Amino acid sequence: MGKNIVQKILDAHLVSGEPVPGQEVAIRIDQTLTQDATGTMTYLQFEAMGLDAVKAELAVSYVDHNTIQIGFENADDHRYLQTVAAKYGIIFSRAGNGICHQVHLERFGRPGKTLLGADSHTPTGGGVGMIAMGAGGLDVAVAMGGGPFYITYPKVCLIKLTGRLQPWVSAKDVILKMLEIFSTKGNVGWIFEYGGPGVATLSVPERATITNMGAEMGVTTSVFPSDAETRRFLAAQGREEQWIELLADPDATYDKIVEVDLSSLEPLTAAPHSPGNVMPVRQVAGMPVQQVEIGSCTNSSYVDMVRVARILKGRRAHPDVSFAVAPGSRQVLQMLARDGSLASLLDAGARIMESACGFCIGNSQSPPSGAVSLRTNNRNFEGRSGTKDAQVYLVSPETAAAAVITGKFTDPRDLGLAYPQVDMPERFFIDDSMFIFPGARSETGPSAGEAEIYRGPNIGEPPKNAPLPAEIKGQATIKVGDKITTDHIMPAGQLLKYRSNVPKYATYVFSPVDETFAARAAANRDAGIHNIIIAGESYGQGSSREHAALCPMYLGVKAVIAKSFERIHIANLINFGIVPLTFVNPADYDRIQTGDELVIPDIRAALGEKAPISVENRTQGVEIPVEANLSERQVKILLAGGLLNTVAGV
Ligand code: MIC
Ligand code: SF4
């Protein structure tokens, strides 16, 4: 029987397990990436494994999230990352080189390979025909050490693209349409494979915009075929020899097929406060806009930026709009500087930001109170921008540019301008001098092997956890609703600088939801009372940050009982020894209140024997059945108190 692209890549990388949807399989990982906000903890954990060098084919450490450097903390982290990279044979991408996903696509992404990244938008690599997945840092550390990555063998949905995009409609509108169809929940365990005649009309950077935001639907990843367009992109990046053709067999089968007609799409936006809150731009047209931010790993390719520059050429930013542009990589910025686009942007009044995450993660460019901010990034969770009551709308670069001119939400088709046709260049500007390749002596770092690891005062040891106790006995310390994101659990923004300092960062757990949580949880922990989190559907949406499990672990959280979990977060909970339990009857969620005394007797034995589990709510006097759908491997990790306790010396 013929295979689809997902099956071709996964089966070629299968280490163990049955390639049957729903079964846990182990996959060999060819490439890894980290970024600085998740990277310090990843490498501290890698060091704790006691290996001499990385074993993956290629490992890259990017610095793109924390480049603001107010205080010594970020700079200390960067230095730690640079020295640890030199020691273990990791390519180091210096601050200023660009956003990890954009740069990885440009310089390292290869069709047919697997990539595991300590960042949820790693699926960007699917644009070039690879299986690229986000994971917690500890899983990435294991993969760097040559260990496999465990996933549930996915169900595959073919997204059959037909037609072609109309002027002023772009890749962002395709993925917003997908979010309208699939929403942000209920897609765990799926991979989206794009196919159909419409694929050939999309360039690799456009495909990457689409696979990037697959993360917002909660799918394991998204992937495009590797075809003539992929070859053209790799050739333009000077890497044509890395191209292989990768197409689905003509008789390939899928678990589901959904057709999207590109010709019928219109400019869309995701309204506050969820990427799934999709509506046509025309529905909100006329709304005054106070801020426009163009960039992020979703929409900061050269073509995106040049199109914006052409739309704005000879025009000025509306006086009420604060307008910033963050080109996705140094390659993009270099090209904009050389072809005159940068001048057009500056003429228009753009504030040029560093090639980094910046505004997207809320560590700069927070909007004014209550402001409407149009952004080309991928997440608009409440407060993520750094301003709690800001109204953030996700849009395409074209829609963003239209608002820069008019000061209002404007469907770009209504600007009355000729559509600037911009094609992907035949040759990108290639200069790898901001990478430090292991083994190469540079002015700024020592050679591989001889490196001494630098640890500033911001770098702490990763905290340890004890094995799971025989019973969990404590309190429902917090009860939260549906679609709780990791930005609610462990906010980033200004707090990013505490990523390497878990005791400090942990004092902010759940702060956007309940400022008293961290202190209450720590007091319980110190009194020997276990903390339990009660949650609704889709718990742990959004980022891959393992701190959303690690910091609760540090505060003595032993279990989360939810209606459902998102993929990366549930893996992180297990990795840090927190038991994820789901309600057998979702309505039982109503039978637990914050502060209730809860006991889960014999949890160790129940997990080991796969016996039924019930939670005694001693305050309400009820017993609530819950379940743990875990593999034997996951149970072993939980019993040990976390993955690090089981993998030293992998
Ligand atoms: C994000 O977009 O939320 C981040 C910041 O890139 C995170 C990683 C992190 O929290 O460091 C992600 O997407 O995984
Ligand atoms: Fe950076 Fe934003 Fe992309 Fe996360 S989503 S990697 S913060 S640009």
Side-chain angles (χ1 to χ4, degrees), residues 169-250:
V169 183
S170 66
K172 181 60 149 286
D173 301 308
V174 179
I175 192 61
L176 289 174
K177 183 71 193 176
M178 289 288 294
L179 274 150
E180 186 184 87
I181 299 171
F182 288 95
S183 87
T184 58
K185 61 184 177 71
N187 304 308
V188 174
W190 285 88
I191 291 186
F192 289 162
E193 177 175 316
Y194 288 83
V199 165
T201 69
L202 298 170
S203 66
V204 166
E206 289 173 301
R207 296 174 186 185
T209 294
I210 295 170
T211 57
N212 171 283
M213 271 187 85
E216 275 47 74
M217 291 178 279
V219 292
T220 305
T221 190
S222 309
V223 64
F224 272 82
S226 173
D227 57 7
E229 261 309 304
T230 321
R231 181 179 208 156
R232 198 165 76 86
F233 174 78
L234 288 173
Q237 290 287 355
R239 303 195 285 124
E240 191 174 4
E241 76 289 352
Q242 296 180 0
W243 179 76
I244 55 160
E245 187 174 58
L246 196 55
L247 307 173
D249 290 332

Side-chain angles (χ1 to χ4, degrees), residues 65 99-101 119 121 296-297 357 360-361 378-379 384:
H65 278 60
I99 304 174
C100 55
H101 308 304
D119 193 281
H121 290 103
S296 91
C297 58
C357 299
C360 174
I361 186 57
N378 44 38
R379 292 186 172 142
R384 180 175 160 105

